[in-house]
Amino acid sequence: MHAIGYTRHLPLDDPQSLVQFDLAQPTPTGHDLLVAVAATAVNPVDLVGFKRDAPDDDHPAILGWDAVGTVSAVGDAVTLFHPGDRVFYAGDFSRSGSDTDFQLVDERIVGHAPQTLSTAESAAMPLTALTAWEALFEQLGIDPHADNQGQTLLVINGAGGVGSVATQLAHWAGLKVIATASRPETIAWTKAHGADVTVNHRQDLVPQVRALGHQYVDYVLELSNLNQHWAEIVDLIKPSGKIVSITGSEVPIDLRALKQKRATFAWEWMFSKAWFQTADMVSQHHALDEISQLLDAGVLKSTLTKTLTPFTAENLRAALQLVASHRMMGKAVIER
């Protein structure tokens, strides 16, 4: 089978930074599915993976953590899928990625692909949708099927990949969604994807949110720069409110600042369940199946904005450069 990857770290604009090579097709065992990959999306996590320790010439590293494809074969412990099933998934950061013709992926982190979306539209969704789903409904503890009217969520970076799905999911769950955006095009995009109102993250968020009539917000989803916005988050979070971040922190944050408000802070990393083989990792299968149904019902919209074809090293480099620009709205997908 063909795959695209790297054996040494080079700048993305170097033609040798990503190259095509041949590998033996793997054989599924246990809970693994062998998926014939039809399309792969690119994400900021690809850039993180690109900076990891370089492999050697005999073991190239393969990126890619968003895919749609067809189950080609299954391991002996598989119960959720059959050969021929159309699937989508975000994969496992500890394993080889989806920039390849065939990929092994654990069935417990795979969902049935939407039936009404195109291949590229489906490939754009798993990683960001799972991240948003877990952040909102697990880490923040929001019940999407409860009456959440009157509760407020502040999404910092509403036009990003995760933000564009989180605003839609939160709107579906009945919350009032305040999202940050700074440019006319990102403001329009964010409002079209579920935000009720926007505030500018290039200015102090506190007076902007309070000008909207909210002294505090019930929840904060931080998707941009935790250190930059930490003081604003501490000021705006409601007593006993909840905060979740996906971005990491360059320097320690002052959690003691939350003590007086008795507020809760949590991290979200969508790959944790597969990385540690947690007992609840099948929850990603169930979440993706529900996300698929919401996409088919039109409750959620795919955030695809760019499709490149065919699947070549040149197109993969171009897609990653779009992500690296930090100005792209929506998702880029490379289709076979």
Side-chain angles (χ1 to χ4, degrees), residues 9-18 47 50 313-314 316-322 324:
H9 295 303
L10 294 169
L12 272 176
D13 57 2
D14 189 310
Q16 295 303 308
S17 59
L18 292 166
L47 300 176
F50 196 61
E314 181 181 10
L316 181 54
R317 281 193 299 273
L320 288 171
Q321 286 172 324
L322 285 173

Side-chain angles (χ1 to χ4, degrees), residues 6-7 25 52 70 107 114 130 142 149 152 191 265 276 314 325 328:
Y6 65 96
T7 58
Q25 183 175 303
R52 291 195 294 182
T70 302
E107 62 169 341
L130 268 180
I142 299 167
Q149 295 297 322
T152 49
K191 288 183 175 180
F265 175 81
F276 293 103
E314 181 181 10
S325 73
M328 182 180 178

Side-chain angles (χ1 to χ4, degrees), residues 32-112:
D32 277 344
L33 311 174
L34 179 65
V35 177
V37 180
T40 305
V42 295
N43 295 278
V45 72
D46 290 273
L47 300 176
V48 174
F50 196 61
K51 296 175 183 176
R52 291 195 294 182
D53 291 340
D56 56 52
D57 290 339
D58 295 327
H59 301 89
I62 302 171
L63 304 174
W65 289 281
D66 246 346
V68 63
T70 302
V71 177
S72 179
V74 300
D76 55 9
V78 168
T79 61
L80 301 173
F81 299 94
H82 301 90
D85 285 348
R86 191 77 164 166
V87 296
F88 73 154
Y89 53 91
D92 181 344
F93 199 62
S94 67
R95 303 182 72 175
S96 187
S98 52
D99 293 336
T100 181
D101 289 341
F102 291 89
Q103 181 184 16
L104 291 178
V105 60
D106 193 300
E107 62 169 341
R108 293 169 290 185
I109 58 172
V110 175
H112 293 89

Side-chain angles (χ1 to χ4, degrees), residues 301-333:
K301 297 185 292 186
S302 173
T303 56
L304 174 73
T305 53
K306 180 75 172 177
T307 304
L308 296 91
T309 188
F311 179 64
T312 62
E314 181 181 10
N315 279 336
L316 181 54
R317 281 193 299 273
L320 288 171
Q321 286 172 324
L322 285 173
V323 173
S325 73
H326 300 295
R327 293 183 63 83
M328 182 180 178
M329 294 186 297
K331 295 286 291 290
V333 169

Side-chain angles (χ1 to χ4, degrees), residues 129-324:
L130 268 180
T131 301
W133 185 280
E134 290 187 350
L136 294 173
F137 306 141
E138 294 182 10
Q139 301 299 70
L140 290 179
I142 299 167
D143 181 351
H145 305 294
D147 181 4
N148 294 305
Q149 295 297 322
Q151 297 193 63
T152 49
L153 168 72
L154 173 62
V155 179
I156 299 177
N157 190 16
V162 175
S164 300
V165 185
T167 51
Q168 295 184 71
L169 286 173
H171 177 81
W172 165 65
L175 287 88
K176 179 170 183 179
V177 183
I178 305 168
T180 75
S182 62
R183 293 177 280 143
E185 59 269 30
T186 57
I187 291 170
W189 170 274
T190 303
K191 288 183 175 180
H193 287 79
D196 294 291
V197 290
T198 63
V199 290
N200 190 338
H201 50 248
R202 299 189 185 280
Q203 302 170 12
D204 190 342
L205 296 176
V206 177
Q208 295 180 79
V209 171
R210 290 188 173 149
L212 296 172
H214 302 284
Q215 181 70 15
Y216 303 116
V217 295
D218 296 279
Y219 307 99
V220 176
L221 174 57
E222 194 286 312
L223 307 170
S224 175
N225 185 317
L226 184 60
N227 293 108
Q228 177 185 339
H229 296 290
W230 182 245
E232 297 162 303
I233 291 169
V234 170
D235 199 340
L236 287 171
I237 193 64
K238 178 181 178 180
S240 297
K242 296 182 179 181
I243 305 157
V244 66
S245 173
I246 72 167
T247 59
S249 177
E250 296 175 359
V251 297
I253 55 173
D254 181 16
L255 288 176
R256 291 175 300 179
L258 298 177
K259 182 178 180 181
Q260 188 176 28
K261 285 188 173 177
R262 193 174 165 269
T264 301
F265 175 81
W267 296 113
E268 165 58 24
W269 195 50
M270 188 277 304
F271 294 109
S272 293
K273 293 174 182 176
W275 186 282
F276 293 103
Q277 294 285 295
T278 61
D280 65 342
M281 65 186 288
V282 73
S283 65
Q284 293 198 338
H285 161 71
H286 298 305
L288 282 171
D289 271 3
E290 190 160 0
I291 289 162
S292 180
Q293 293 167 13
L294 292 172
L295 287 163
D296 279 335
V299 174
L300 294 182
K301 297 185 292 186
S302 173
T303 56
L304 174 73
T305 53
K306 180 75 172 177
T307 304
L308 296 91
T309 188
F311 179 64
T312 62
E314 181 181 10
N315 279 336
L316 181 54
R317 281 193 299 273
L320 288 171
Q321 286 172 324
L322 285 173
V323 173

